[in-house]
Amino acid sequence: MTTTLMALVMSKGYVVADGAMGTQLFAAGLSAGWSPEEWNLSHPDEIRAVHRGYLQAGADLIVTNSFGGNCFRQSLHGFEGRVDELNRAAAHIGRLEADAEMQRSEREVLVAGSMGPTGELLEPLGTMKAGACEAAFAEQAAGLAAGGVDLLWIETMSALDEIEAAVRGARSVCDLPIAATMSFDTAGRTMMGVTGREMVDRLGALQLAAIGANCGNNVPDTEAAVIAIANAGSGTLTVSKPNAGVPVWRKDALVYDGTPELLAVHAHRAHISGVDVIGSCCGSTPEHTAKMVAVLAGEEAPPSVEVTLNPKTALDERLVRRRPRRRRDRG
């Protein structure tokens, strides 16, 4: 490991994480319904190019192309027997680009191994057994560790029990630091009804490297949730990686409406509110990252873009009870 997440935050005052992977790969030709993780083997140069774009935009931390790299998700593509191979490749690609950037710029860069949700529900709400869930994350974590990541990045989670299973599984095969983020997209709660405060209270004993929010329904809801997490005073680093606005149809294309300026304003507000690791998620690009880097470094003033926090963030039990739905691939 080059450094730790905590050491990097202490030296800079904050860490800039990268942005979307999935939407970048779709732009590069990934077909809808195909496994993004398979591209680690068949299109490694395209994956390297995405990482390189974010690093050259100033990101201090890149997240591997392994969001759906568990056996449950890969079984949808017939690749459940290649989990170790896919994750090793994802980590190796990220490591190559991070090491190249450190040599080029002489700055520290971290590689985080993405571990997204299984897409299943644990018993008694679903049919997935805790042991099978832990084993799936253990298999993925082992591949990422062998490929050379600096830490594991459990992300876009809705249920606390799945995070706990992922942590147990990961720690059964390696001793890498672990960060965990949830998606707060239902009136300030996850689809399983979890609030930011509940996340802090439940995960506090796990000694995670960082906790926070990513993805989400919109920037204001994610911002409100992550600031609540930061204000809980847990002593754990806080992460914010919101989507680039919301997807809207423009002619025949579905695009995200959040500009680099919008995310730069969020980055500024999050940082002054105590958030330590700030990046972006679905729909974002290296241009978003570069604008966030410039504002956080004080090279540019925060743009004049309003980010209005949602007054319904704390409570709306009618929406909290919605039936959970499966998530698509990160980014």
Side-chain angles (χ1 to χ4, degrees), residues 99-125:
D99 290 348
E101 176 63 21
M102 286 190 284
Q103 184 174 8
R104 183 187 72 84
S105 64
E106 298 184 346
R107 64 189 182 92
E108 297 285 359
V109 173
L110 292 172
V111 181
S114 175
M115 299 170 64
T118 62
E120 307 293 330
L121 292 176
L122 280 158
E123 293 178 332
L125 295 178

mmCIF file of all heavy atoms in Angstrom, residues 99-125:
data_model
loop_
_atom_site.group_PDB
_atom_site.id
_atom_site.type_symbol
_atom_site.label_atom_id
_atom_site.label_comp_id
_atom_site.label_asym_id
_atom_site.label_seq_id
_atom_site.Cartn_x
_atom_site.Cartn_y
_atom_site.Cartn_z
ATOM 1 N N ASP A 99 -0.356 3.500 -10.318
ATOM 2 C CA ASP A 99 1.108 3.543 -10.218
ATOM 3 C C ASP A 99 1.700 4.463 -11.286
ATOM 4 O O ASP A 99 2.668 5.198 -11.029
ATOM 5 C CB ASP A 99 1.685 2.135 -10.353
ATOM 6 C CG ASP A 99 1.388 1.259 -9.146
ATOM 7 O OD1 ASP A 99 0.939 1.806 -8.111
ATOM 8 O OD2 ASP A 99 1.600 0.035 -9.228
ATOM 9 N N ALA A 100 1.125 4.428 -12.492
ATOM 10 C CA ALA A 100 1.600 5.307 -13.556
ATOM 11 C C ALA A 100 1.384 6.773 -13.204
ATOM 12 O O ALA A 100 2.237 7.628 -13.459
ATOM 13 C CB ALA A 100 0.898 4.968 -14.873
ATOM 14 N N GLU A 101 0.226 7.072 -12.596
ATOM 15 C CA GLU A 101 -0.062 8.451 -12.204
ATOM 16 C C GLU A 101 0.859 8.916 -11.088
ATOM 17 O O GLU A 101 1.327 10.059 -11.082
ATOM 18 C CB GLU A 101 -1.516 8.581 -11.769
ATOM 19 C CG GLU A 101 -1.919 9.948 -11.242
ATOM 20 C CD GLU A 101 -1.797 11.057 -12.288
ATOM 21 O OE1 GLU A 101 -1.790 10.754 -13.497
ATOM 22 O OE2 GLU A 101 -1.723 12.229 -11.888
ATOM 23 N N MET A 102 1.144 8.027 -10.135
ATOM 24 C CA MET A 102 2.044 8.411 -9.050
ATOM 25 C C MET A 102 3.446 8.690 -9.576
ATOM 26 O O MET A 102 4.120 9.603 -9.106
ATOM 27 C CB MET A 102 2.062 7.315 -7.976
ATOM 28 C CG MET A 102 0.790 7.289 -7.135
ATOM 29 S SD MET A 102 0.883 6.212 -5.689
ATOM 30 C CE MET A 102 0.718 4.604 -6.467
ATOM 31 N N GLN A 103 3.880 7.915 -10.557
ATOM 32 C CA GLN A 103 5.181 8.166 -11.156
ATOM 33 C C GLN A 103 5.180 9.470 -11.959
ATOM 34 O O GLN A 103 6.141 10.241 -11.912
ATOM 35 C CB GLN A 103 5.581 6.999 -12.056
ATOM 36 C CG GLN A 103 6.976 7.131 -12.655
ATOM 37 C CD GLN A 103 7.396 5.896 -13.432
ATOM 38 O OE1 GLN A 103 6.607 4.987 -13.664
ATOM 39 N NE2 GLN A 103 8.651 5.842 -13.827
ATOM 40 N N ARG A 104 4.068 9.725 -12.646
ATOM 41 C CA ARG A 104 3.971 10.920 -13.480
ATOM 42 C C ARG A 104 3.904 12.195 -12.648
ATOM 43 O O ARG A 104 4.589 13.181 -12.927
ATOM 44 C CB ARG A 104 2.745 10.832 -14.384
ATOM 45 C CG ARG A 104 2.586 12.007 -15.349
ATOM 46 C CD ARG A 104 1.245 11.928 -16.080
ATOM 47 N NE ARG A 104 0.134 12.236 -15.201
ATOM 48 C CZ ARG A 104 -0.281 13.479 -14.939
ATOM 49 N NH1 ARG A 104 0.344 14.519 -15.471
ATOM 50 N NH2 ARG A 104 -1.304 13.683 -14.132
ATOM 51 N N SER A 105 3.064 12.177 -11.619
ATOM 52 C CA SER A 105 2.767 13.402 -10.873
ATOM 53 C C SER A 105 3.424 13.493 -9.506
ATOM 54 O O SER A 105 3.367 14.532 -8.853
ATOM 55 C CB SER A 105 1.249 13.538 -10.692
ATOM 56 O OG SER A 105 0.755 12.465 -9.901
ATOM 57 N N GLU A 106 4.000 12.360 -9.048
ATOM 58 C CA GLU A 106 4.630 12.306 -7.724
ATOM 59 C C GLU A 106 3.652 12.650 -6.612
ATOM 60 O O GLU A 106 3.997 13.335 -5.643
ATOM 61 C CB GLU A 106 5.867 13.218 -7.670
ATOM 62 C CG GLU A 106 6.957 12.814 -8.643
ATOM 63 C CD GLU A 106 8.209 13.679 -8.509
ATOM 64 O OE1 GLU A 106 8.124 14.752 -7.862
ATOM 65 O OE2 GLU A 106 9.244 13.280 -9.043
ATOM 66 N N ARG A 107 2.423 12.202 -6.759
ATOM 67 C CA ARG A 107 1.433 12.344 -5.689
ATOM 68 C C ARG A 107 0.865 10.980 -5.345
ATOM 69 O O ARG A 107 0.929 10.046 -6.143
ATOM 70 C CB ARG A 107 0.316 13.313 -6.090
ATOM 71 C CG ARG A 107 -0.532 12.860 -7.266
ATOM 72 C CD ARG A 107 -1.466 13.967 -7.741
ATOM 73 N NE ARG A 107 -2.313 13.535 -8.842
ATOM 74 C CZ ARG A 107 -3.532 13.006 -8.684
ATOM 75 N NH1 ARG A 107 -4.064 12.868 -7.479
ATOM 76 N NH2 ARG A 107 -4.248 12.646 -9.736
ATOM 77 N N GLU A 108 0.318 10.864 -4.151
ATOM 78 C CA GLU A 108 -0.238 9.596 -3.696
ATOM 79 C C GLU A 108 -1.619 9.358 -4.298
ATOM 80 O O GLU A 108 -2.454 10.282 -4.351
ATOM 81 C CB GLU A 108 -0.349 9.581 -2.161
ATOM 82 C CG GLU A 108 0.990 9.675 -1.443
ATOM 83 C CD GLU A 108 1.783 8.388 -1.485
ATOM 84 O OE1 GLU A 108 1.293 7.404 -2.050
ATOM 85 O OE2 GLU A 108 2.910 8.376 -0.949
ATOM 86 N N VAL A 109 -1.869 8.132 -4.736
ATOM 87 C CA VAL A 109 -3.159 7.753 -5.292
ATOM 88 C C VAL A 109 -3.547 6.395 -4.720
ATOM 89 O O VAL A 109 -2.700 5.498 -4.598
ATOM 90 C CB VAL A 109 -3.105 7.661 -6.834
ATOM 91 C CG1 VAL A 109 -4.402 7.093 -7.387
ATOM 92 C CG2 VAL A 109 -2.820 9.029 -7.449
ATOM 93 N N LEU A 110 -4.810 6.233 -4.370
ATOM 94 C CA LEU A 110 -5.320 4.978 -3.818
ATOM 95 C C LEU A 110 -6.227 4.256 -4.815
ATOM 96 O O LEU A 110 -6.940 4.901 -5.587
ATOM 97 C CB LEU A 110 -6.101 5.242 -2.534
ATOM 98 C CG LEU A 110 -5.306 5.729 -1.323
ATOM 99 C CD1 LEU A 110 -6.249 6.140 -0.201
ATOM 100 C CD2 LEU A 110 -4.350 4.647 -0.842
ATOM 101 N N VAL A 111 -6.195 2.922 -4.757
ATOM 102 C CA VAL A 111 -7.079 2.091 -5.560
ATOM 103 C C VAL A 111 -8.047 1.374 -4.626
ATOM 104 O O VAL A 111 -7.620 0.629 -3.733
ATOM 105 C CB VAL A 111 -6.300 1.052 -6.389
ATOM 106 C CG1 VAL A 111 -7.258 0.212 -7.230
ATOM 107 C CG2 VAL A 111 -5.268 1.732 -7.281
ATOM 108 N N ALA A 112 -9.338 1.617 -4.815
ATOM 109 C CA ALA A 112 -10.377 0.998 -3.983
ATOM 110 C C ALA A 112 -11.102 -0.073 -4.782
ATOM 111 O O ALA A 112 -11.498 0.158 -5.924
ATOM 112 C CB ALA A 112 -11.369 2.058 -3.505
ATOM 113 N N GLY A 113 -11.265 -1.238 -4.196
ATOM 114 C CA GLY A 113 -11.916 -2.359 -4.867
ATOM 115 C C GLY A 113 -13.421 -2.321 -4.676
ATOM 116 O O GLY A 113 -13.936 -2.601 -3.586
ATOM 117 N N SER A 114 -14.148 -1.990 -5.741
ATOM 118 C CA SER A 114 -15.602 -1.851 -5.665
ATOM 119 C C SER A 114 -16.288 -3.192 -5.419
ATOM 120 O O SER A 114 -16.011 -4.185 -6.088
ATOM 121 C CB SER A 114 -16.135 -1.244 -6.969
ATOM 122 O OG SER A 114 -17.556 -1.215 -6.963
ATOM 123 N N MET A 115 -17.215 -3.199 -4.469
ATOM 124 C CA MET A 115 -18.049 -4.365 -4.166
ATOM 125 C C MET A 115 -19.484 -3.872 -4.013
ATOM 126 O O MET A 115 -19.842 -3.303 -2.983
ATOM 127 C CB MET A 115 -17.567 -5.066 -2.889
ATOM 128 C CG MET A 115 -16.140 -5.595 -2.995
ATOM 129 S SD MET A 115 -15.449 -6.177 -1.416
ATOM 130 C CE MET A 115 -16.533 -7.552 -1.040
ATOM 131 N N GLY A 116 -20.298 -4.058 -5.043
ATOM 132 C CA GLY A 116 -21.681 -3.622 -5.009
ATOM 133 C C GLY A 116 -22.600 -4.693 -4.457
ATOM 134 O O GLY A 116 -22.166 -5.805 -4.127
ATOM 135 N N PRO A 117 -23.887 -4.414 -4.357
ATOM 136 C CA PRO A 117 -24.844 -5.372 -3.787
ATOM 137 C C PRO A 117 -25.019 -6.609 -4.661
ATOM 138 O O PRO A 117 -24.744 -6.594 -5.858
ATOM 139 C CB PRO A 117 -26.147 -4.562 -3.699
ATOM 140 C CG PRO A 117 -25.982 -3.473 -4.714
ATOM 141 C CD PRO A 117 -24.528 -3.145 -4.746
ATOM 142 N N THR A 118 -25.478 -7.669 -4.039
ATOM 143 C CA THR A 118 -25.709 -8.927 -4.761
ATOM 144 C C THR A 118 -26.934 -8.863 -5.660
ATOM 145 O O THR A 118 -27.068 -9.651 -6.589
ATOM 146 C CB THR A 118 -25.899 -10.087 -3.780
ATOM 147 O OG1 THR A 118 -27.067 -9.810 -2.970
ATOM 148 C CG2 THR A 118 -24.680 -10.272 -2.889
ATOM 149 N N GLY A 119 -27.853 -7.950 -5.338
ATOM 150 C CA GLY A 119 -29.128 -7.916 -6.047
ATOM 151 C C GLY A 119 -30.169 -8.826 -5.423
ATOM 152 O O GLY A 119 -31.303 -8.910 -5.912
ATOM 153 N N GLU A 120 -29.793 -9.503 -4.341
ATOM 154 C CA GLU A 120 -30.701 -10.403 -3.629
ATOM 155 C C GLU A 120 -31.011 -9.841 -2.247
ATOM 156 O O GLU A 120 -30.297 -8.967 -1.746
ATOM 157 C CB GLU A 120 -30.071 -11.792 -3.486
ATOM 158 C CG GLU A 120 -29.590 -12.415 -4.781
ATOM 159 C CD GLU A 120 -30.731 -12.757 -5.725
ATOM 160 O OE1 GLU A 120 -31.835 -13.053 -5.230
ATOM 161 O OE2 GLU A 120 -30.513 -12.738 -6.950
ATOM 162 N N LEU A 121 -32.071 -10.375 -1.628
ATOM 163 C CA LEU A 121 -32.417 -9.993 -0.262
ATOM 164 C C LEU A 121 -32.094 -11.139 0.687
ATOM 165 O O LEU A 121 -32.349 -12.304 0.388
ATOM 166 C CB LEU A 121 -33.898 -9.649 -0.157
ATOM 167 C CG LEU A 121 -34.370 -8.385 -0.884
ATOM 168 C CD1 LEU A 121 -35.881 -8.247 -0.754
ATOM 169 C CD2 LEU A 121 -33.670 -7.148 -0.345
ATOM 170 N N LEU A 122 -31.515 -10.788 1.822
ATOM 171 C CA LEU A 122 -31.222 -11.789 2.836
ATOM 172 C C LEU A 122 -32.494 -12.271 3.523
ATOM 173 O O LEU A 122 -33.487 -11.548 3.610
ATOM 174 C CB LEU A 122 -30.274 -11.210 3.882
ATOM 175 C CG LEU A 122 -28.785 -11.172 3.483
ATOM 176 C CD1 LEU A 122 -28.043 -10.140 4.312
ATOM 177 C CD2 LEU A 122 -28.167 -12.550 3.661
ATOM 178 N N GLU A 123 -32.459 -13.502 3.997
ATOM 179 C CA GLU A 123 -33.579 -14.012 4.795
ATOM 180 C C GLU A 123 -33.771 -13.119 6.024
ATOM 181 O O GLU A 123 -32.798 -12.575 6.552
ATOM 182 C CB GLU A 123 -33.275 -15.446 5.258
ATOM 183 C CG GLU A 123 -33.213 -16.462 4.139
ATOM 184 C CD GLU A 123 -32.861 -17.862 4.654
ATOM 185 O OE1 GLU A 123 -32.168 -17.954 5.700
ATOM 186 O OE2 GLU A 123 -33.268 -18.844 4.028
ATOM 187 N N PRO A 124 -34.996 -12.901 6.510
ATOM 188 C CA PRO A 124 -36.255 -13.522 6.060
ATOM 189 C C PRO A 124 -36.979 -12.749 4.952
ATOM 190 O O PRO A 124 -37.999 -13.200 4.470
ATOM 191 C CB PRO A 124 -37.080 -13.520 7.339
ATOM 192 C CG PRO A 124 -36.648 -12.263 8.041
ATOM 193 C CD PRO A 124 -35.171 -12.128 7.747
ATOM 194 N N LEU A 125 -36.441 -11.576 4.561
ATOM 195 C CA LEU A 125 -37.113 -10.802 3.516
ATOM 196 C C LEU A 125 -36.951 -11.448 2.149
ATOM 197 O O LEU A 125 -37.803 -11.295 1.277
ATOM 198 C CB LEU A 125 -36.567 -9.377 3.485
ATOM 199 C CG LEU A 125 -36.837 -8.518 4.719
ATOM 200 C CD1 LEU A 125 -36.199 -7.149 4.565
ATOM 201 C CD2 LEU A 125 -38.339 -8.384 4.961
#
